[in-house]
Amino acid sequence: MAPTASPSASPAALLDLTRPGAARDLVDDLMDAAGASRAILVTVTATDAAVTVLADGTAEQWAWRAGQIQQVPTDVTYVAQRTFDPDDYALDDLGALFRTAGSVAGSASGQSLQIVDYAAGQVAMSVSTVPESRAVFFLPDGTLLPTLDFTSLWGLEQGYADAVGGLRSTSSVGFGSALGVQVDTPHTASGSYERRHRTARTPVIVTPRSEAVPLASFDPALADPAVVWGVLEELNDDGAFSLDTPWTCIVDDRADRGTPRMYFDVGERSFVTNLQGRILTR
């Protein structure tokens, strides 16, 4: 067993990690004891904290137990999760994060903050409860992850920006009232790709997928959310669309024409437009 270390007096004395500065101090002490600058998991509650780090390629956990910092057993297995520096995340006022999360989730029972690679290299900070209500996600600076309204241009544009990220090539871009925004990476020769999906209340989730017939790639900038919203506004002006009408728009080159088109399903109506929103078929 590795040697133990004592945390700074501030969090150790009261073990009230909701006090400003207390959670940050204890996490810093845990990282120091582990001899690491990056973690694969940080968990903090009102009274305890733990960090999981890599030691020679193996997950190793350090936690506050029995009045001291010590190495403890862990069931975490390292499978190429993305590591991160806990200093990049706003842990300076855990109490404020818990209060915000409680107001959003409608519950403050058994709150626990976690920073972890939650999907294919996407690291997120969230607060959950016991019994579980809903996870509330925060940006690294401690502000709430925006909840997106996909019946607005702003929601579509923000979801699109999040889902596209740094991609410069895509095989499909999807928008929808219930779907949110999804962006697929280019297909490989075998048809495999990754889907980046931004829903209303969660960060971008990345999942591996495959397609029997690979789609051609194009610049995601061609799929303009403002054009998508413009088509819906025109339908609304004609009395054929309202904000409670379910709709989707998938942009891809399924027809193999060398240029993607926009495939709409709005209520019970389906139609295709060009990239400028002009209807091609009814």
Side-chain angles (χ1 to χ4, degrees):
M1 177 68 72
T4 60
S6 297
S8 60
S10 175
L14 298 177
L15 282 182
D16 178 8
L17 300 184
T18 63
R19 293 185 302 110
R24 167 63 66 200
D25 287 346
L26 184 51
V27 169
D28 286 348
D29 288 337
L30 289 166
M31 294 297 292
D32 288 344
S37 60
R38 301 183 68 81
I40 58 175
L41 172 65
V42 170
T43 303
V44 188
T45 72
T47 58
D48 59 56
V51 301
T52 304
V53 302
L54 286 179
D56 298 325
T58 301
E60 184 177 282
Q61 189 172 86
W62 291 75
W64 175 259
R65 297 288 187 271
Q68 62 181 349
I69 289 175
Q70 55 184 297
Q71 187 180 346
V72 298
T74 178
D75 57 3
V76 175
T77 301
Y78 179 62
V79 285
Q81 298 97 315
R82 183 177 174 184
T83 64
F84 58 89
D85 184 347
D87 287 343
D88 291 339
Y89 294 82
L91 298 175
D92 301 286
D93 194 342
L94 182 68
L97 295 175
F98 278 178
R99 289 190 295 274
T100 299
S103 66
V104 173
S107 172
S109 174
Q111 287 178 306
S112 175
L113 177 144
Q114 191 172 81
I115 307 171
V116 68
D117 175 350
Y118 70 98
Q122 309 297 304
V123 176
M125 178 167 67
S126 64
V127 172
S128 57
T129 59
V130 178
E132 186 171 358
S133 51
R134 55 165 280 202
V136 177
F137 290 89
F138 292 86
L139 299 176
D141 66 1
T143 57
L144 274 171
L145 178 79
T147 296
L148 302 185
D149 175 9
F150 297 118
T151 60
S152 72
L153 175 57
W154 170 82
L156 293 180
E157 289 181 331
Q158 185 61 57
Y160 170 87
D162 291 348
V164 170
L167 287 180
R168 295 294 177 265
S169 183
T170 180
S171 54
S172 175
V173 178
F175 305 87
S177 51
L179 173 67
V181 182
Q182 64 185 33
V183 178
D184 295 344
T185 61
H187 293 202
T188 66
S190 64
S192 63
Y193 62 98
E194 287 186 337
R195 172 160 292 173
R196 297 172 54 85
H197 189 195
R198 173 65 155 101
T199 66
R201 295 178 174 178
T202 64
V204 174
I205 296 173
V206 182
T207 55
R209 300 175 68 90
S210 62
E211 188 76 32
V213 180
L215 295 172
S217 300
F218 59 93
D219 186 340
L222 294 175
D224 188 345
V227 173
V228 174
W229 187 247
V231 171
L232 297 175
E233 284 190 317
E234 288 185 9
L235 293 175
N236 182 63
D237 291 342
D238 293 339
F241 173 76
S242 62
L243 294 182
D244 60 354
T245 303
W247 67 273
T248 60
C249 172
I250 307 299
V251 185
D252 61 34
D253 189 18
R254 68 187 68 176
D256 198 24
R257 297 174 181 269
T259 301
R261 290 182 170 181
M262 296 184 170
Y263 296 84
F264 282 86
D265 287 293
V266 182
E268 297 181 353
R269 181 183 180 187
S270 298
F271 57 93
V272 183
T273 78
N274 63 14
L275 294 174
Q276 291 72 47
R278 182 171 62 86
I279 295 179
L280 302 176
T281 62
R282 294 185 181 273

